Amino acid sequence: MAATSPLASKTSTSHPLSFPPSHVLRAVATSMNWRDRDIVVNVEREMTWRSATAAVLDALGDRDGPVHISAPRLRGAKEYIKRLALEQVTPSGSGNIHGLPLRNAPDLASLPHPKPTSMSARAKLKETLRREPIPDREPYLLRITATAEDRWLPSIPGTVEITGVDSVTDDPQTTISRSDILIDTGAHVSTITDDLLDDTFREYLSDSIHDPYRSSTGVTVQVACIFALGDQPALEMDCIFQVVPLDSVPNQRSGIILGQNSVIDSIEYSSRPRKTLIARGEKVLDTVWGDIVVDGYVNVDGDYVTI
């Protein structure tokens, strides 16, 4: 029986898309990452496109899965990015330490790997930061004592691929997958605690080449993200995050927090907390937060993308 997934593709257009075969095959390879590792393809060192593709299909048998094919990003000027992150020196975070998954949240393993941020997208992110710098302020403006129930935040599975602002092809990068990424509308930038980085990337960020993007509270990095929001198609974004010391986060919560700048403020969505669903007569487990329904988001080109 063919495999199914809660991330089955929904199309936002009424007409077929046209891409080069290499782009489609790359998307399929990305979608298959981490999945069905028991499958082995028998190949020869020298093959043709058709014979190699036929060998893969033969090895797959009746197994299948979803694939999201987005438009290829154009390469752009690298220097354009550099100007955008220079003013990203503001700390961020959240005092909340709890998180509940969304209803119908898929497994982290079902998410494909995020596409690396293109030079064009990196340039757009940097220009956005130049035009709209984040104000220099304390990250935790309000410290509210809440009940245990009020302190639960929605959490989602996702994968982030982290690179330096001025990174080139051979520079280190690191990938982090988490099932408990918090969504915090009170955080003005998104954060990743430094304990999640591998030693190589942590040493790379300590280099003086990152000093223009360093503040007393963290280092600005560029991130290619892919998130799962319930039973909707996966959401892919290119964003700006801050890597912050673990001991600077209230309650020293290790993890990833999605904040406003370049993430939440770019998504059109409606939230349906568990309380409202129950009040409408739905049966909802107390181990889930509820639903977040995304209508669309604004990409780095300023275009609205329908989900």
Side-chain angles (χ1 to χ4, degrees):
M1 180 181 294
T4 59
S5 167
L7 294 177
S9 174
K10 298 179 182 178
T11 179
S12 60
T13 59
S14 58
H15 58 278
L17 302 175
S18 299
F19 298 128
S22 60
H23 181 70
V24 176
L25 291 174
R26 187 179 300 112
V28 172
T30 298
S31 176
M32 294 176 68
N33 194 24
W34 301 332
R35 303 184 189 178
D36 297 326
R37 294 190 175 185
D38 60 307
I39 299 177
V40 176
V41 183
N42 296 316
V43 298
E44 299 176 6
R45 189 172 295 277
E46 299 293 336
M47 301 182 71
T48 65
W49 298 341
R50 288 179 179 273
S51 62
T53 303
V56 171
L57 291 175
D58 184 61
L60 284 175
D62 61 356
R63 297 201 203 182
D64 204 356
V67 56
H68 174 71
I69 305 176
S70 58
R73 301 184 179 111
L74 299 176
R75 298 181 64 85
K78 177 172 177 273
E79 187 60 29
Y80 192 55
I81 305 194
K82 190 171 181 178
R83 298 197 300 268
L84 226 167
L86 289 174
E87 296 182 65
Q88 173 71 19
V89 293
T90 310
S92 178
S94 169
N96 296 295
I97 62 172
H98 300 293
L100 281 175
L102 300 183
R103 191 168 58 159
N104 301 320
D107 292 333
L108 176 62
S110 67
L111 281 176
H113 195 279
K115 300 179 184 67
T117 305
S118 68
M119 296 305 296
S120 175
R122 292 165 67 88
K124 295 289 176 55
L125 288 172
K126 188 175 280 191
E127 175 60 20
T128 298
L129 280 177
R130 186 192 65 80
R131 293 196 316 266
E132 304 172 11
I134 298 173
D136 188 8
R137 64 185 184 186
E138 290 295 320
Y140 317 114
L141 298 181
L142 298 175
R143 296 188 179 273
I144 301 173
T145 301
T147 65
E149 186 176 42
D150 292 334
R151 284 185 286 133
W152 293 107
L153 292 175
S155 70
I156 59 175
T159 296
V160 297
E161 184 175 88
I162 310 169
T163 60
V165 173
D166 292 325
S167 69
V168 295
T169 303
D170 295 332
D171 283 343
Q173 63 182 39
T174 190
T175 300
I176 301 171
S177 296
R178 302 277 295 194
S179 60
D180 59 350
I181 298 175
L182 295 184
I183 301 175
D184 188 354
T185 58
H188 51 279
V189 295
S190 301
T191 58
I192 301 169
T193 53
D194 61 359
D195 63 299
L196 299 181
L197 306 180
D198 58 63
D199 293 339
T200 300
F201 195 78
R202 189 180 296 110
E203 181 179 356
Y204 168 64
L205 285 186
S206 68
D207 193 281
S208 60
I209 62 173
H210 301 286
D211 286 351
Y213 317 112
R214 194 186 316 278
S215 72
S216 60
T217 55
V219 183
T220 298
V221 292
Q222 296 221 357
V223 178
C225 316
I226 186 163
F227 305 122
L229 293 157
D231 56 2
Q232 302 172 94
L235 182 63
E236 297 182 67
M237 301 181 71
D238 295 309
C239 313
I240 290 290
F241 277 58
Q242 265 203 342
V243 174
V244 299
L246 176 61
D247 58 11
S248 71
V249 179
N251 303 298
Q252 294 192 6
R253 180 192 183 275
S254 172
I256 300 173
I257 296 175
L258 302 185
Q260 290 287 345
N261 185 48
S262 84
V263 182
I264 296 177
D265 66 359
S266 299
I267 304 174
E268 182 178 26
Y269 68 95
S270 59
S271 60
R272 300 170 183 173
R274 177 167 46 88
K275 284 184 179 180
T276 64
L277 294 171
I278 293 174
R280 292 165 54 184
E282 297 191 39
K283 293 183 178 179
V284 184
L285 297 175
D286 59 7
T287 54
V288 299
W289 184 87
D291 299 334
I292 291 181
V293 180
V294 176
D295 297 314
Y297 68 97
V298 179
N299 64 17
V300 292
D301 295 316
D303 299 325
Y304 184 84
V305 180
T306 301
I307 297 297

